[in-house]
Structures are given as structure tokens and as C-alpha cells.
């Protein structure tokens, strides 16, 4: 079975980087506005907001560049901050999860494990309705899973 890589294509990565940069700039503007005001607690607010912005930025960048490699032994999660292998015999199902936010309805693929929490596949989150790319990724993961467990 050849290795299959699941992740964002270059156009999606570029679009998500722009969104991440705009949110970071907005938070930087709010932080600057807090620092220009007078008050005893402004440094705490600005520092807390700065730390929160950095965590959000790194988390989004991690999701943008994360990939999953489908191999004969299992799913290999590869992100900036972690590497993890989930063997196929630990997979109970592959599902699409939808969540509603202010920016729309987001869909992503999740691996339901026999034991432990479910894991989101990096490079699969999208806010496009009826996304053919997400469907293609879902079919590829399910096909590899089926071949690996002999089903």
C-alpha cells in the first residue's frame, strides 16, 4: 500500500495564513490600544492578550502545516509540535464533525479511537459547503483503514 498524504493544498494554506495574519494584526492593534491607556492594570491585560495571541497563532500555524500520512501500519500525524502514530487496529471509525462559529460552519475529519479521545486530522478543516476535497480525503482514509483491517 503506497503512503498517502492528507493535508492542505498550497492555495488553502495561503488563504489560511492570510486569515491568521489578519487576526494576529487585529489582536496586536487591541494590545497597542490597551498600552496607550492609563491605568494600573494595563500591562497585565496587554501581556495576557499577547500570550493568548501567540498561542492562537502557533496553534493555527500548526494546524495549517500539519499532515497525516496513511501507511500500512496506521495514521502518522505530523505537525510542528508533535509526531504520533495511531495503528489501524485502534481506529473505531472515521467521521466528519461540523461546528458552527461566527464565521460559518466548519467541517473537519476526526478519528474515533477504540480507547482514548478522538483526534482531528490536521489539514482537513474547511468552511466550504459540500467540499469535494474533504470528501476525497474522507474516502481515502476510509479506504486505507478498510484495506488495513481486511474489511
Amino acid at each position: 500500500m503506497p503512503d498517502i498524504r492528507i493535508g492542505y493544498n498550497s492555495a488553502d494554506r495561503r488563504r489560511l495564513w492570510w486569515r491568521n495574519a489578519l487576526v494576529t494584526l487585529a489582536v496586536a492593534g487591541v494590545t497597542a490600544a490597551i498600552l496607550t491607556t492609563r491605568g494600573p492594570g494595563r500591562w497585565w491585560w496587554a501581556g495576557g492578550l499577547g500570550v493568548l495571541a501567540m498561542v492562537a497563532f502557533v496553534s493555527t500555524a500548526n494546524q495549517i502545516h500539519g499532515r497525516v500520512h496513511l501507511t500500512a501500519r496506521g495514521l502518522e500525524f505530523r505537525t510542528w509540535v508533535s509526531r504520533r502514530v495511531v495503528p489501524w487496529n485502534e481506529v473505531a471509525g472515521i467521521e466528519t464533525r461540523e461546528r458552527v462559529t461566527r464565521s460559518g460552519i466548519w467541517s473537519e475529519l476526526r478519528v474515533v479511537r477504540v480507547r482514548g479521545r478522538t483526534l482531528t486530522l490536521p489539514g482537513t478543516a474547511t468552511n466550504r459547503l459540500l467540499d469535494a476535497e474533504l470528501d476525497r480525503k474522507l474516502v481515502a482514509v476510509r479506504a486505507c483503514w478498510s484495506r488495513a483491517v481486511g474489511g
Side-chain angles (χ1 to χ4, degrees):
M1 175 169 95
D3 290 359
I4 299 173
R5 290 182 172 87
I6 303 289
Y8 288 120
N9 60 31
S10 61
D12 286 341
R13 274 197 309 272
R14 192 171 31 258
R15 180 177 52 85
L16 290 168
W17 265 115
W18 275 106
R19 180 177 291 164
N20 197 15
L22 290 174
V23 169
T24 302
L25 286 174
V27 171
V30 171
T31 304
I34 289 172
L35 287 174
T36 59
T37 62
R38 294 183 185 218
R42 68 183 176 159
W43 291 104
W44 286 103
W45 281 103
L49 195 56
V51 168
L52 183 65
M54 287 305 298
V55 168
F57 182 83
V58 170
S59 173
T60 304
N62 189 44
Q63 182 71 13
I64 291 170
H65 287 284
R67 293 186 179 276
V68 175
H69 293 232
L70 307 175
T71 65
R73 59 180 215 179
L75 297 132
E76 294 181 7
F77 290 77
R78 296 180 183 181
T79 63
W80 278 358
V81 296
S82 70
R83 300 276 191 268
R84 166 186 261 176
V85 176
V86 177
W88 289 115
N89 61 358
E90 289 185 17
V91 176
I94 311 294
E95 64 183 21
T96 302
R97 176 182 169 217
E98 292 183 349
R99 55 190 163 94
V100 179
T101 64
R102 289 183 181 178
S103 62
I105 299 173
W106 286 82
S107 302
E108 61 192 7
L109 297 181
R110 295 182 59 90
V111 175
V112 180
R113 298 188 309 166
V114 175
R115 288 184 314 274
R117 63 185 180 91
T118 61
L119 301 172
T120 301
L121 294 176
T124 61
T126 182
N127 64 346
R128 288 183 230 134
L129 294 176
L130 304 173
D131 189 5
E133 177 109 4
L134 183 68
D135 293 339
R136 182 188 61 76
K137 292 173 184 178
L138 178 62
V139 167
V141 174
R142 285 185 175 163
C144 287
W145 177 41
S146 178
R147 277 194 304 266
V149 295

